[in-house]
Structures are given as C-alpha cells and as structure tokens.
Amino acid sequence: MVTSIGADSVKVYTVNGAASGSASSLPDWLTRKRAARGKGKRAVREQVEGSIDLIQHFEFPEASNRIRTTRDGRFAVATGVYKPQMRVYDLHQLTMKFERHSDAENVDFVILSDDWTKTLHLQNDRTIEVHNQSGFLYRTRIPRFGRALAYHFPSCDALVSASGSEVYRLNLDQGRFMNPLQLQSDGEAEIEGVNAIDINPAHQLFTFGLSGTGTAQFWDPRSRTRVGVLQLPSSQLLPPMPTAGTDNALSITSLASRSDGLSLAVGTSTGHTLLYDLRSMAPFATKDQGYGLPVQCLTWIEGGSQMAGDGLVVSADKKVVKIWDRNDASSNFASVTPATDVNHVHHVPGSGMLMLANEGISMTSYYIPQLGPAPKWCSFLDNITEEMEDQTVRNVYEDFKFIEKSELSRMGLDHLIGTPALRPYMHGYFMQLKLYDAARMITNPFAYEEHREKLVKEKMDKLSESRIRARKDGPKFNKALAERIRREEEREAKKAERKKARQSNGDEDVEMDAEETPAKEKANLLNDSRFKAMFENPEFQVDESSREFGLLNPSTVASKRKTAVEEEDEEASRASSEDILGEKSDSESDSGSEDSSDAGDLDQYNPRTTAKAPRKAYTPIPPGRKAHQPKMVSLRADTAGGGSGSRRGGKDASFGERRQSFGRKSAGQSKSEVWEGAMETSWVPSSNQQDEEGSGRRQRPKSRNGEKYGGTMEKGGRNDDDQEESLRKGRTKRRTGVRSGSKNVFRQMG
C-alpha cells in the first residue's frame, strides 16, 4: 500500500494499481513482463512490490473503459479491451467472478438490477446489447454512433444520445423504440451531438449536455418537452486567443445532479466545472482542472452525517482527479494524479474509496480515510491505515525533475508544454528525470565531463585537507618557541569547541569565557607585530644551552638532561672506543714505553683522545697539597727494566707486562714460536703427557700449580685453601691492586 499526501495533508492510499504520482517511460505490459522474469530495474520492482492488490485480477489485458458498483454494494462491473469484454467482481470475496466477451468495444453501460444480473450496454458499432444472468440476451442498432446512455426507471426508457440532435428512446418494457427527443438550437450554432445525459434523482428531470453550442437543455419526462435552457458563459471559459487546429466552440462533456434536486454540476471541454442552482442562471462555483482537457466525469459525494466529505465534488479529466468543496472551489480537499490516463471515475457510495478505469492494464483504487470510512467488504483497511500513520511517506515526484519555464526555453523544450511529458506545478513544470538528463546532454554534450571534473576536484580537495602539510610560512628563527605557541593555541581552540558543544547540548553549567569566544582572537607572540623581529632576526635566537634559559625553563632542560647511568654508559663506550683506536703498533711495542704507574702520567694530556674533547693543558699540583695517588695497575709493560722481576711474571703483573714478557724472543725459541698480539690456539685433549709430547704439537706452558694456555692465560695458578674457599663461596673481600673505575678518583686527581 503506497501513500501519497495532498496539499492539505490528506493521505491517499493506493490499494489497487500503480501508485499516485508514479510514472514510467516503459509500457505497462513491458513493465509486468520484466517484473515477472525478475529482470526489472529497481524502479520497476518498487512499482510492483510497493503496491498491494485489494481485489485480485482487477485488470484488463490492455485498458479499461467504465466501472460501476451495484446498488447492493456486493459487486463491481467493469468493461475494457482487448478483446472487448465485461468482467464482474465479487467484492466480498475480493476476486473476479466471471468475464464475458462481446463483439465490439463498450462506450457506456448501466446496471438495471440491484445486482449484476441485468445490464444494458452501448457499443461503438451503433448497437445496444442487453445482458442477463445467462449471458447475451438481445441486440439492436441505432441510426448514429452513440455517445451516452441513461435509464429512466419509472418509464423503463433507455435514453441513448448520439452524434446528431436526437436522443433515442428504447422502452425495455415494450421492447421497441419510442419517438426520439428532438433537441432544437436557439442560436445560429448547430447541435453537433449530445455528449452527456443526466436524470435528476429527486424529480426525474432530464438534462442533456450539447456539443458545439455550449448549452444544456432540460426536459420534462412526463410531457417529453423542453422546459429550460442553460447557457454557459463562453466568454469566461474560452481562451481569448485560440490555438491553431482547435475548435473554438464550447461543449458540455459531463453532467451530474445532486440528490437534493437543486444543484447541478456541469463539466466543459475547456477543463472547467461549474456548479449551478437550478433556480439561477449564474454559477455559484467554478473550478479549473488546470490542464485544459475535457472534464470526463463528475460525481457528488454524499453520505449524510456518516460522511466527513459530505458536500464535496469529484471532477476528473484525463490527467488528474480533484476533490473539492462546493462552497470553496479555490482549494482542493485532495488531488490525485494517476500514472495513466483516466477514462472513468466511480465513487463507492458511503465510503472513502474511488475506483478508476484507465488506459493501463490494472484498474486503480484509492482509499482516502478523511473522505469516508472503508466499505463493509474491506473494513480491515481502517486498521491497516492506522498502522501506517507513522511510516515514512514516499515522495510523489520522486522520478521527476522540477524546472522553470526559463530553463525549459533554454533547453529548447517549449513545444512540450501541454503534453503529457510536462506536469504544470506552481511557477514551473515537472519533467521525467530521464527525459531531463537526455535533453541536458543534447544541449550541453560536455555536461558529464564537467560534472566528473567537479567531483574529482571535490574529492581531491577533501584528500588535501586531510593531509599533514608543512608550514611554509613558519618563522626562520626560534622555531621551537613558535611551534609551542601554536600547539597551545590549538589546545585552547579544541577546549573552547568542547565547551560550546556541551553548552549547545543543554548543559547550563558550562559557560564559555569571554577570552575563549571565537569572535575575539587571543593575542600572542606570533600575531603581535612588536615581537616580529624575534622570529626574523638571528640576533634574537634563544640559546637553550645557556644558564638563564635553564633557570627560566627548568622542565625543558630537565627533559633534555641525561641521567647518571646514561652518562656512565656513554663514557664507558667512549673509553673503550678510544682504547681500540689508540692501540700501539708493533714497532711502538718493541721500542717500549714508560710504566703507567709513574707519578703524574695519568694527569698529562693524552694524545689518543678524539677531536671531540678540546686539548687541556697540564696543570701542576700546587705546593703543600698532596695528590691522591690511587693504587692502580699500569696499562703498559716495563720494557726498561724498572719493574721487579717478580711482578713481571707474578700475579700482580699487568696484562701488558705479561704480553711483552710472553711475546719476547728467548733463547732456544724459533721465530715462529714468538707470538705478537692476538693469536689463535687449538689443542686436542689427551689422557697423558707422553701422547701430547709425541704428537708434535706445541707444548702448553706449565706453571708451578697449574696449566698455561694462550697468551698469559692460566688455569689452576693458585692451589691454596683461600682460592678454593673463594671459588666455592664467592669473593667476600674487596679487591686490592686493581684499577678503580670511579669518576670521583679522576676528579680528585685534577
């Protein structure tokens, strides 16, 4: 069930057929064929799936001509093509009861009985057919092509209007034609035909709407004479400048009398509906359909106190169905624009349902709750519509584009005005979206490329905004200070935005400070012209390594200062790298060097230091002050013989002394047995000493209590109880005679 909303928020529910306001460029039969095969587009599937079928098989193979309900309200009778046929629907069962074919297309029909069993049909081949419950009963012909059909129950006369000035009377009680009614024209214009017939339900007055003269004649059924003529105001209804190829004569196309016996609705060929009181010659209300098409159907909506829409009028042309109040014709109660051209409109008495016969396959049914209740045979519609009150309403002009008349002229589509391709609305027209796109591509072939370039540009702009750009307008000097100021500004701006968002959400406790308002920009060093030179002149560069900067910014200096552990690690790594880079060559080792234990040797300038540390002159110890001499191990061997022999080979000998003593060439050793510097030694363990001596390998040097292997490395050099105790329990006393690595020692030396 698809819902559409009128101008006054009146909801119109489509319970059969296509939704109001929807349109498709494809034929109805092709739409159904694609939907049945499952190959339809989204719009096609939406049109089929978004609607419901209140009455099953409520359709014709091609189009429908007329539709009416019986007086008992149980059945609906409709005619259509192709092939020409009549279908009867059982409304209580919500399905088709039967269908009956005929030889010619139906023009109009009337239901003679309270149910569907007796009907009278006017065909387009100048024949009149009578049908009963069993089927076709009788057929007769009239001299001219018929236009309208009515039945007078008191006299059993069937009135048939045709293209001439005569109205034929067929008496169904006697089964023969009676003398026709001869209509005479009072003016110079001749009567081209009788387009409409109406019989007043109150006093049975005949009303005939004439073609070509713009008049309506009233006849008394008792005397079968004319009792009055109604002349329409042609000067007000006809256009002042008629278009070429159109008939400038005014014609009456439809008539409808109200049950009160005094009101008459007249529809004209110009699309106007006039309401008359039979006691007056001037209309008391005039309604324009807006399309300039002939009014095809008029109906008075009546229902007494049970109908909310009592006193309303339904007028319909091929394009639109309008429901409006007889006392106020300037506004519409509801307006329905079907998807296909309208042929006939029938209002179900005492309800808010309208049935339409149209040029589409499916006949259409609309239910308007504000117009009246649902019929008894579909009372469940009231419950369904109440549940749909809160649902989203589909846009009536979803597949259309609104364009103004100036744009229409610029696109060269002025010739479409007045055609089904354009729907007038306010100061412009509604055009199908596909037609608009095609016309725009023809007038501007590069529209797609321009649109694509616009989309690409918008996408690139969004990507560029999301990137992090380097500030090209940044200061040349004091960049760290400028960046810190910018970060503080951004932080303050975000804080102000959060406060503003909380305040807009209803938090009354949050109040924005005056200085945080976006209208007032906060002054800082960057936007103050007095401090401009601070970021442009190198003389104002801030020295972050100075003592004044450290006192003013202790947190910044503390974040850059290294810890004691980091400084010790850095000094240790630097000392090890310097020892490796400053290692003596082989020639310097042979010439010898002084012992490192000589007084003042460590205080002198070390030539092996790198260029990172500046040269520092030697400062002698002032007299009267005794320098602290830590007990240290020399790093160089005593080649001059200054050291004791026991130290050179003992445990207190340094690594350099052991290396020099071990590396010298002694008597009885060949050149290949003297090792200088690092060396590689390999051996194979053996069970006894004889195997090792007979193997021809180099003998491992012996110590008095253990073995020596490699350069000055020994195992088991000590054999005393203290050594065994230290190996088992670990060292318990502080080492003596070793080099101290404390920085305080070096500081006291200076």
Side-chain angles (χ1 to χ4, degrees):
M1 180 182 295
V2 181
T3 310
S4 61
I5 298 181
D8 296 333
S9 301
V10 176
K11 292 187 177 182
V12 180
Y13 295 91
T14 305
V15 295
N16 270 108
S20 173
S22 63
S24 176
S25 58
L26 301 176
D28 200 358
W29 61 270
L30 183 57
T31 300
R32 285 178 164 269
K33 186 176 180 181
R34 287 188 175 183
R37 292 183 178 181
K39 298 180 180 180
K41 297 182 179 178
R42 180 188 62 83
V44 176
R45 290 195 300 270
E46 180 183 357
Q47 182 175 351
V48 176
E49 297 174 2
S51 59
I52 66 172
D53 290 333
L54 179 64
I55 304 174
Q56 300 299 316
H57 305 288
F58 198 63
E59 59 185 17
F60 280 90
E62 185 175 343
S64 53
N65 297 329
R66 292 288 188 273
I67 182 171
R68 288 185 175 90
T69 57
T70 58
R71 286 188 291 273
D72 59 4
R74 297 189 56 184
F75 302 95
V77 182
T79 59
V81 291
Y82 180 81
K83 302 179 179 178
Q85 55 188 292
M86 175 187 69
R87 292 187 176 184
V88 178
Y89 296 91
D90 190 345
L91 299 180
H92 286 268
Q93 301 298 327
L94 299 178
T95 186
M96 185 176 65
K97 187 176 182 66
F98 69 90
E99 62 180 8
R100 183 181 296 169
H101 292 263
S102 60
D103 296 337
E105 184 177 348
N106 181 261
V107 177
D108 199 358
F109 73 94
V110 293
I111 300 175
L112 304 178
S113 60
D114 292 340
D115 55 5
W116 59 270
T117 54
K118 296 178 182 179
T119 56
L120 182 66
H121 297 265
L122 173 63
Q123 307 295 90
N124 64 350
D125 60 347
R126 297 187 295 119
T127 61
I128 300 175
E129 294 183 355
V130 180
H131 291 249
N132 59 6
Q133 186 175 2
S134 60
F136 168 74
L137 179 64
Y138 181 76
R139 179 187 294 115
T140 185
R141 295 177 68 88
I142 57 177
R144 296 176 180 271
F145 290 97
R147 295 187 179 184
L149 179 64
Y151 184 72
H152 186 231
F153 284 91
S155 63
C156 297
D157 286 345
L159 303 178
V160 183
S161 63
S163 57
S165 60
E166 296 180 344
V167 177
Y168 305 104
R169 293 191 304 133
L170 176 62
N171 190 280
L172 298 183
D173 185 22
Q174 301 179 18
R176 64 187 182 94
F177 280 99
M178 310 301 290
N179 292 330
L181 302 177
Q182 298 289 339
L183 305 182
Q184 300 294 331
S185 176
D186 296 339
E188 298 179 357
E190 296 181 358
I191 300 175
E192 299 177 359
V194 180
N195 294 330
I197 301 176
D198 177 74
I199 300 176
N200 196 297
H203 44 69
Q204 304 298 317
L205 181 66
F206 293 167
T207 305
F208 302 104
L210 306 183
S211 175
T213 61
T215 59
Q217 295 187 9
F218 300 97
W219 287 64
D220 188 353
R222 296 168 296 181
S223 61
R224 293 182 292 278
T225 58
R226 191 179 72 177
V227 295
V229 177
L230 178 63
Q231 183 68 41
L232 301 184
S234 302
S235 59
Q236 300 178 8
L237 301 178
L238 291 175
M241 298 294 294
T243 58
T246 59
D247 189 4
N248 197 28
L250 183 64
S251 301
I252 297 176
T253 56
S254 59
L255 295 169
S257 297
R258 197 183 179 195
S259 58
D260 59 357
L262 296 177
S263 300
L264 176 67
V266 180
T268 65
S269 59
T270 58
H272 295 83
T273 302
L274 295 86
L275 301 183
Y276 284 92
D277 191 327
L278 296 180
R279 297 167 294 186
S280 174
M281 295 296 293
F284 65 86
T286 303
K287 182 69 174 180
D288 187 5
Q289 292 292 108
Y291 286 92
L293 301 174
V295 179
Q296 295 187 348
C297 186
L298 289 173
T299 305
W300 291 85
I301 298 179
E302 297 173 320
S305 59
Q306 298 180 358
M307 287 291 296
D310 189 18
L312 298 180
V313 181
V314 179
S315 59
D317 57 8
K318 292 178 62 176
K319 297 298 181 183
V320 64
V321 179
K322 293 185 177 182
I323 305 174
W324 44 283
D325 192 353
R326 62 189 179 95
N327 297 321
D328 184 13
S330 60
S331 61
N332 295 327
F333 175 79
S335 179
V336 181
T337 305
T340 53
D341 294 344
V342 180
N343 291 330
H344 186 251
V345 178
H346 174 72
H347 172 250
V348 179
S351 68
M353 180 169 289
L354 298 176
M355 293 183 177
L356 276 67
N358 49 46
E359 291 295 328
I361 295 178
S362 296
M363 291 184 290
T364 311
S365 298
Y366 299 107
Y367 173 55
I368 307 175
Q370 298 184 18
L371 185 62
K376 294 181 180 180
W377 45 272
C378 60
S379 59
F380 55 86
L381 285 181
D382 291 331
N383 299 331
I384 296 177
T385 54
E386 289 177 1
E387 294 176 358
M388 296 180 63
E389 289 294 332
D390 299 334
Q391 295 184 1
T392 305
V393 180
R394 182 192 176 197
N395 188 8
V396 177
Y397 295 101
E398 182 178 358
D399 301 330
F400 286 80
K401 172 71 175 179
F402 179 80
I403 57 176
E404 298 181 355
K405 192 172 182 179
S406 58
E407 185 178 359
L408 197 68
S409 303
R410 187 169 59 256
M411 298 175 66
L413 300 178
D414 297 338
H415 61 282
L416 295 179
I417 298 177
T419 62
L422 297 178
R423 298 185 180 184
Y425 184 77
M426 293 192 299
H427 60 286
Y429 300 88
F430 274 107
M431 178 189 292
Q432 291 186 10
L433 189 59
K434 292 183 178 179
L435 180 60
Y436 174 79
D437 293 338
R440 187 178 61 176
M441 288 299 298
I442 294 174
T443 55
N444 187 9
F446 303 100
Y448 175 74
E449 295 181 1
E450 295 175 357
H451 178 66
R452 184 176 180 181
E453 291 178 359
K454 183 179 179 182
L455 293 179
V456 172
K457 184 178 180 182
E458 292 177 355
K459 186 176 181 181
M460 295 302 294
D461 292 342
K462 291 181 180 179
L463 291 176
S464 61
E465 291 177 359
S466 62
R467 293 172 182 161
I468 301 176
R469 297 181 178 180
R471 296 182 180 268
K472 297 182 179 180
D473 55 345
K476 298 180 180 179
F477 304 98
N478 295 324
K479 296 182 179 180
L481 177 61
E483 186 64 25
R484 185 163 61 252
I485 294 174
R486 288 196 185 98
R487 286 198 299 266
E488 291 178 357
E489 288 182 350
E490 294 176 357
R491 186 162 53 250
E492 293 296 333
K494 292 180 180 179
K495 184 178 178 181
E497 290 179 359
R498 288 194 297 268
K499 286 186 178 181
K500 186 177 180 180
R502 290 197 299 269
Q503 190 177 12
S504 61
N505 292 334
D507 192 355
E508 298 179 355
D509 298 336
V510 180
E511 295 183 359
M512 185 175 293
D513 298 336
E515 61 180 6
E516 294 178 353
T517 56
K520 183 178 180 181
E521 185 179 1
K522 187 176 180 180
N524 53 32
L525 296 178
L526 294 177
N527 53 28
D528 197 338
S529 59
R530 296 175 298 174
F531 302 96
K532 184 178 180 182
M534 185 176 180
F535 302 98
E536 296 180 356
N537 194 343
E539 296 180 358
F540 293 96
Q541 177 68 36
V542 178
D543 186 9
E544 298 184 359
S545 61
S546 62
R547 183 172 177 273
E548 291 78 5
F549 181 83
L551 294 176
L552 295 175
N553 302 276
S555 59
T556 305
V557 176
S559 62
K560 297 182 179 180
R561 183 181 299 168
K562 297 182 181 179
T563 61
V565 177
E566 293 176 349
E567 291 179 355
E568 290 180 359
D569 294 342
E570 185 178 356
E571 289 180 0
S573 60
R574 183 168 60 248
S576 60
S577 61
E578 291 175 358
D579 291 343
I580 295 174
L581 295 175
E583 194 175 34
K584 282 287 186 175
S585 60
D586 294 342
S587 60
E588 294 176 349
S589 299
D590 295 339
S591 62
S593 61
E594 295 182 356
D595 198 334
S596 60
S597 62
D598 294 341
D601 186 36
L602 294 177
D603 298 335
Q604 294 180 0
Y605 170 71
N606 188 2
R608 294 179 297 171
T609 56
T610 59
K612 296 181 180 179
R615 292 180 176 269
K616 189 173 182 181
Y618 171 74
T619 304
I621 300 175
R625 178 181 176 184
K626 184 178 180 181
H628 177 72
Q629 297 294 338
K631 188 176 181 181
M632 307 184 69
V633 179
S634 61
L635 297 177
R636 298 185 181 181
D638 189 6
T639 56
S644 61
S646 61
R647 181 179 176 183
R648 182 181 299 274
K651 62 180 181 179
D652 294 335
S654 64
F655 179 76
E657 294 174 350
R658 296 184 184 185
R659 176 178 172 276
Q660 292 296 336
S661 63
F662 188 75
R664 283 193 178 89
K665 181 178 179 183
S666 59
Q669 288 183 332
S670 61
K671 186 177 181 180
S672 61
E673 293 179 348
V674 179
W675 304 300
E676 294 290 340
M679 59 169 293
E680 180 179 355
T681 305
S682 62
W683 71 92
V684 178
S686 60
S687 59
N688 50 31
Q689 186 177 358
Q690 295 178 358
D691 296 339
E692 191 172 308
E693 293 175 354
S695 60
R697 296 186 181 90
R698 184 184 298 114
Q699 302 296 327
R700 285 178 289 184
K702 296 286 185 176
S703 64
R704 56 185 177 88
N705 292 329
E707 295 180 304
K708 285 187 177 181
Y709 50 89
T712 70
M713 291 184 289
E714 63 181 25
K715 179 180 180 183
R718 292 183 180 179
N719 199 13
D720 52 356
D721 297 337
D722 296 339
Q723 180 68 14
E724 295 179 358
E725 186 70 16
S726 63
L727 292 175
R728 284 187 286 104
K729 296 184 178 181
R731 181 169 57 84
T732 59
K733 297 181 181 180
R734 184 174 181 179
R735 291 176 179 175
T736 58
V738 297
R739 178 180 177 180
S740 176
S742 176
K743 294 189 296 181
N744 296 329
V745 176
F746 293 97
R747 291 172 180 171
Q748 293 175 3
M749 291 170 59

